[in-house]
Amino acid sequence: MARQQRIELIRSISELRGSAVICYITGDRENVSTRIAPDVTQVFYRHLEMYGECQQIDLFLYTRGGDVLTPWRLAHLIREYTPRFSVLIPFRCYSAGTLLCLSADEIVMGKMGELGPIDPSVVNAFNPQDQNNPSARIPVNIEDVYSYLALAGEKAGVCSNDQQVKAFTLLAERIHPLALGNVHRNYMLIRSLAKRLLAMHQQPLKEGRIEHIVDNLTEKLYAHNHMIPRREAAEINLAVKIPGSQLENLIWSLYQDYANELSLTEPFNPAEQLRGAKSEFEVVSGYVESLKGADAFVFSGVVERRDFPEPGQVNVSILKQGWRTLCP
Amino acid sequence: MEEQQTIFRSKKVSFSYPADDVKYYLITGDSGYPLADFDFPGIPAKNKTSFVIPERITKTAHTIQEP
């Protein structure tokens, strides 16, 4: 669907909700994904400036997550323009996306809406090397580390100081101490961020509710890929709102439009771009869009046939990647 | 009354747990998250603050589409 038709869907949602709607899609297309990251902040600023101050801003969000600090910055930026902030969740909204939802006064979840735990995996130069790919680092999930220590204490009967030191030493032999330091810093960071984001609500949350939500989203779901449907999200006290059928249909139609536009269900295959021995290509893998304009995250590159041992193989170079204003 | 006997014969059962393919992606400070198998001559950050990490993205390809 072209932007013009998508604009009609955004306009209908906006009129139904009495809000300014901004759509943020980080594409999860195989081979050319995008994620929540700080470079989107300026893109949001452009859209927010075009809207000016609003009674309510609705963020239509589809993401598998990304950088955990960006939601904090985005939430503050959005709050500069509105006293009331809501998110509309058609489908996946995991990890850093869920974190961003915590700052919203209202989380409108369709039947297919999914949130996820906020238990990030962290990576730095000291993370363990991947045995199958020496150039790669294996991310360490912060809850896995704390779960190991809990396992040692609760199940293996590690209780004396000596035993605790032994359990920790065993861990430090496998994971570099500076990687573990990074894990601990992020363990503290994610809890602190979640609490501060929940404290941004227009109506302050009751005492104990913030801790309840944070505990559930960090350590009580037990699996990083746990998908939280709207009923479960409401049970853990998130500010979930069930949309009426008209809104439900609109947000699902809008999601499907982006999914088609970004070909989310088809892996990006550079060989299909090849015409002759060498071809340039551009592929869009993310959107920030509103009634005021559209920005896309674009990968630009070159695909060329090379003399690989196996026929049909190609070499792909990404020459440029970044946000680009499409209109106005 | 005659007792009915059920005879269980042992039979080997195999379970298959298909795993997602692991792919390696390049993570930098920005929104791009491309396949690490690509070359990145135009992205100078590759050698500074970027990492190649394994990713088990649940397959989104070939999901059921509405007719």
Side-chain angles (χ1 to χ4, degrees):
Chain A
M1 202 185 283
R3 170 166 159 81
Q4 193 49 47
Q5 285 131 308
R6 201 159 50 236
I7 281 296
E8 293 310 317
L9 288 171
I10 297 173
R11 182 173 285 117
S12 298
I13 294 171
S14 181
E15 286 171 2
L16 198 62
R17 299 268 303 159
S19 64
V21 176
I22 298 177
C23 304
Y24 179 26
I25 313 295
T26 67
D28 52 356
R29 187 179 185 190
E30 223 174 298
N31 305 338
V32 279
S33 295
T34 51
R35 53 193 281 277
I36 292 176
D39 57 337
V40 81
T41 314
Q42 268 193 299
V43 183
F44 266 80
Y45 177 62
R46 195 178 85 80
H47 286 257
L48 290 163
E49 276 293 296
M50 287 190 289
Y51 271 119
E53 288 192 15
C54 313
Q55 284 297 309
Q56 179 173 322
I57 291 176
D58 284 343
L59 178 66
F60 178 92
L61 184 58
Y62 175 86
T63 184
R64 286 188 187 255
D67 170 55
V68 294
L69 287 172
T70 304
W72 174 249
R73 186 67 195 95
L74 279 182
H76 271 274
L77 184 63
I78 292 168
R79 291 281 183 185
E80 292 283 344
Y81 295 84
T82 187
R84 187 164 176 78
F85 168 47
S86 300
V87 284
L88 309 176
I89 310 297
F91 193 12
R92 299 183 178 107
C93 183
Y94 302 157
S95 200
T98 298
L99 207 51
L100 183 51
C101 289
L102 298 186
S103 67
D105 297 299
E106 182 182 64
I107 306 170
V108 180
M109 293 178 76
K111 292 188 181 86
M112 284 291 287
E114 292 169 1
L115 302 176
I118 49 171
D119 59 342
S121 295
V122 294
V123 62
N124 70 11
F126 301 100
N127 271 48
Q129 219 170 34
D130 189 323
Q131 288 182 343
N132 299 318
N133 182 349
S135 68
R137 300 276 164 192
I138 299 174
V140 177
N141 185 282
I142 56 174
E143 296 301 329
D144 282 350
V145 171
Y146 282 85
S147 184
Y148 162 72
L149 296 172
L151 174 76
E154 291 166 18
K155 305 289 182 196
V158 170
C159 45
S160 72
N161 279 350
D162 279 356
Q163 287 173 319
Q164 283 174 2
V165 168
K166 210 170 176 181
F168 189 80
T169 305
L170 195 64
L171 180 65
E173 281 169 2
R174 303 287 194 285
I175 302 175
H176 194 287
L178 292 181
L180 285 174
N182 192 31
V183 164
H184 183 62
R185 203 153 42 82
N186 278 277
Y187 177 88
M188 309 297 274
L189 173 72
I190 205 74
R191 282 158 175 76
S192 159
L193 273 178
K195 286 176 184 170
R196 289 156 75 196
L197 284 162
L198 284 162
M200 291 175 78
H201 288 201
Q202 203 175 20
Q203 298 289 328
L205 297 177
K206 283 182 190 163
E207 212 181 316
R209 191 172 158 188
I210 288 182
E211 285 72 17
H212 178 77
I213 293 170
V214 174
D215 284 349
N216 272 282
L217 289 177
T218 50
E219 58 193 87
K220 290 190 175 168
L221 291 171
Y222 304 117
H224 180 66
N225 52 2
H226 183 100
M227 293 162 273
I228 307 170
R230 62 189 186 183
R231 188 176 297 182
E232 187 181 16
E235 281 169 7
I236 61 175
N237 275 335
L238 287 168
V240 174
K241 186 180 178 186
I242 309 290
S245 60
Q246 190 184 358
L247 182 59
E248 167 98 37
N249 290 339
L250 284 168
I251 62 173
W252 185 249
S253 299
L254 187 55
Y255 160 71
Q256 283 191 308
D257 187 87
Y258 281 116
N260 289 335
E261 177 95 12
L262 298 172
S263 303
L264 295 184
T265 58
E266 298 163 26
F268 171 67
N269 181 0
E272 289 173 0
Q273 313 286 321
L274 196 60
R275 304 282 179 271
K278 183 177 176 181
S279 300
E280 292 181 358
F281 68 86
E282 285 197 335
V283 56
V284 172
S285 184
Y287 264 109
V288 174
E289 190 167 41
S290 69
L291 292 179
K292 303 291 185 181
D295 291 78
F297 193 90
V298 185
F299 291 98
S300 310
V302 172
V303 54
E304 53 195 322
R305 203 177 299 283
R306 285 269 175 87
D307 294 329
F308 284 102
E310 290 176 37
Q313 288 202 9
V314 294
N315 186 65
V316 182
S317 300
I318 301 286
L319 303 175
K320 217 162 57 174
Q321 62 176 28
W323 288 100
R324 183 189 300 172
T325 297
L326 303 181
C327 65
Chain B
M1 194 174 167
E2 267 185 55
E3 278 189 12
Q4 295 280 326
Q5 280 196 329
T6 308
I7 299 166
F8 292 98
R9 287 188 184 143
S10 73
K11 191 176 177 182
K12 194 177 176 187
V13 178
S14 297
F15 292 91
S16 171
Y17 299 99
D20 289 336
D21 289 338
V22 175
K23 285 194 164 186
Y24 290 89
Y25 281 79
L26 179 73
I27 189 166
T28 63
D30 73 10
S31 301
Y33 191 50
L35 193 70
D37 292 348
F38 299 158
D39 291 332
F40 300 92
I43 302 174
K46 190 188 176 187
N47 298 321
K48 292 176 186 171
T49 56
S50 62
F51 297 99
V52 173
I53 57 171
E55 179 77 78
R56 281 179 186 83
I57 293 182
T58 305
K59 292 282 185 188
T60 54
H62 311 305
T63 53
I64 299 165
Q65 292 292 303
E66 280 186 14

